[in-house]
Amino acid sequence: MKTEQPILITSVIAGADLSAVNNLFIGFNGAICANGAKPLGVLNASTFLGEEAPVTAKGIAIVLSGAALSAGAKVQSDASGKAITFAAGEIAGFSLDAASGANESIRILLS
């Protein structure tokens, strides 16, 4: 069982309806993080538009993978807020687990 180790949980007003999502990178605007953008952190709970969304900003968080990646890889957000191997933009953190494809729960050491 994978576990999270949050050091800092903060909140941001949800700038989009996040009620059907969880464990995705969230931007500073309270919406799903854009491809290669610097995330505020990882959404901890489904949240409706305009509500306070809890976000793990520091520590180890569980994030959905957007593609296959290796343990120890630098990661970034894709356009869906999922973790992919870093290619360009801002580094979101480092993968502590490997993923064989999309939609796997992996631990990310947030940076």
Side-chain angles (χ1 to χ4, degrees):
M1 179 177 162
K2 294 181 175 115
T3 60
E4 295 181 292
Q5 296 173 332
I7 295 172
L8 172 65
I9 297 176
T10 190
S11 62
V12 64
I13 299 292
D17 182 7
L18 304 173
S19 63
V21 299
N22 203 2
N23 298 106
L24 299 176
F25 290 119
I26 298 298
F28 288 84
N29 61 355
I32 299 295
C33 193
N35 185 28
K38 177 69 176 166
L40 172 61
V42 177
L43 182 65
N44 285 53
S46 297
T47 308
F48 290 102
L49 174 67
E51 293 182 342
E52 292 282 339
V55 177
T56 299
K58 294 288 180 195
I60 298 171
I62 294 180
V63 181
L64 290 177
S65 62
L69 53 86
S70 302
K74 292 179 189 176
V75 298
Q76 70 180 63
S77 176
D78 70 6
S80 300
K82 296 178 182 180
I84 58 172
T85 301
F86 177 76
E90 299 285 337
I91 295 172
F94 299 87
S95 177
L96 298 179
D97 304 302
S100 60
N103 298 315
E104 293 183 24
S105 295
I106 56 172
R107 295 172 299 154
I108 300 294
L109 175 61
L110 300 172
S111 58

